[in-house]
């Protein structure tokens, strides 16, 4: 066979494989995505049923700890964004005290009941910081932030 004939056969074979692969990939991808979604939904549903059905002390503490961790991380992000902190050393200096506060709070939560007060204080501080950032920013989606802050 000549070189051009081999190239044509190879090109035809590649095109055929691409067409066959494209037809098989989409239904299989959709099927496995739906199965994955169903498994995740079942897992989360089981977790929340266990979390709120059983009144187990360790589960409550893990729930409260994760809530304060998310609030702490969000507070760090709102501070960095609001005050436009770009220098890495300054970011560490801002983040370290908040992380220390969150860690201390999680550890002290084992002995005290100040979790709601700490969560509300961090949430209110975030709202004020995001409102300030929304007031001075020229971001194109700023109206979405105002919806969240006001709601």
């Amino acid at each position: 066979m000549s070189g051009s004939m081999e190239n044509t056969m190879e090109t035809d074979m590649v095109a055929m494989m691409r067409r066959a692969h494209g037809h098989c990939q989409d239904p299989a991808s959709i099927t496995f995505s739906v199965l994955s979604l169903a498994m995740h939904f079942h897992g989360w549903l089981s977790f929340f049923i266990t979390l709120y059905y059983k009144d187990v002390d360790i589960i409550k503490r893990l729930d409260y700890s994760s809530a304060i961790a998310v609030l702490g991380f969000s507070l760090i992000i709102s501070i960095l964004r609001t005050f436009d902190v770009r220098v890495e050393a300054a970011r560490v200096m801002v983040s370290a005290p908040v992380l220390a506060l969150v860690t201390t709070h999680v550890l002290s939560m084992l002995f005290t009941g100040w979790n709601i007060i700490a969560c509300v204080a961090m949430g209110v501080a975030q709202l004020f910081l995001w409102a300030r950032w929304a007031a001075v920013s020229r971001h194109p989606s700023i109206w979405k932030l105002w919806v969240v802050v006001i709601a």
Side-chain angles (χ1 to χ4, degrees):
M1 284 192 191
S2 69
S4 64
M5 182 74 139
E6 284 181 16
N7 287 342
T8 304
M9 284 181 56
E10 184 176 312
T11 305
D12 290 343
M13 183 62 92
V14 169
M16 185 180 76
M17 292 299 287
R18 284 187 182 153
R19 277 190 296 245
H21 180 70
H23 289 298
C24 294
Q25 181 183 6
D26 290 338
S29 175
I30 291 169
T31 302
F32 288 121
S33 292
V34 168
L35 286 173
S36 176
L37 177 66
M39 293 305 292
H40 279 114
F41 180 74
H42 174 70
W44 280 110
L45 184 65
S46 300
F47 172 74
F48 283 113
I49 287 172
T50 304
L51 183 70
Y52 292 106
Y53 179 70
K54 301 268 184 180
D55 194 22
V56 180
D57 192 50
I58 186 69
I59 291 177
K60 285 195 299 188
R61 292 189 191 282
L62 289 172
D63 182 31
Y64 299 158
S65 299
S66 64
I68 196 74
V70 167
L71 283 169
F73 179 73
S74 298
L75 182 62
I76 290 170
I77 296 300
S78 67
I79 293 169
L80 296 178
R81 176 67 64 99
T82 301
F83 297 109
D84 198 26
V85 181
R86 295 181 187 256
V87 178
E88 191 66 29
R91 287 180 176 205
V92 171
M93 291 179 68
V94 167
S95 301
V98 177
L99 289 174
L101 173 76
V102 169
T103 304
T104 305
H105 175 70
V106 168
L107 293 175
S108 70
M109 191 176 57
L110 299 172
F111 306 108
T112 63
W114 291 92
N115 189 51
I116 296 294
I117 296 169
C119 287
V120 168
M122 290 175 81
V124 169
Q126 279 182 65
L127 286 175
F128 282 122
L129 287 168
W130 284 121
R132 183 196 176 277
W133 184 74
V136 299
S137 176
R138 298 191 195 284
H139 197 274
S141 297
I142 206 68
W143 67 270
K144 295 176 186 176
L145 182 57
W146 278 117
V147 168
V148 171
V149 168
I150 291 170

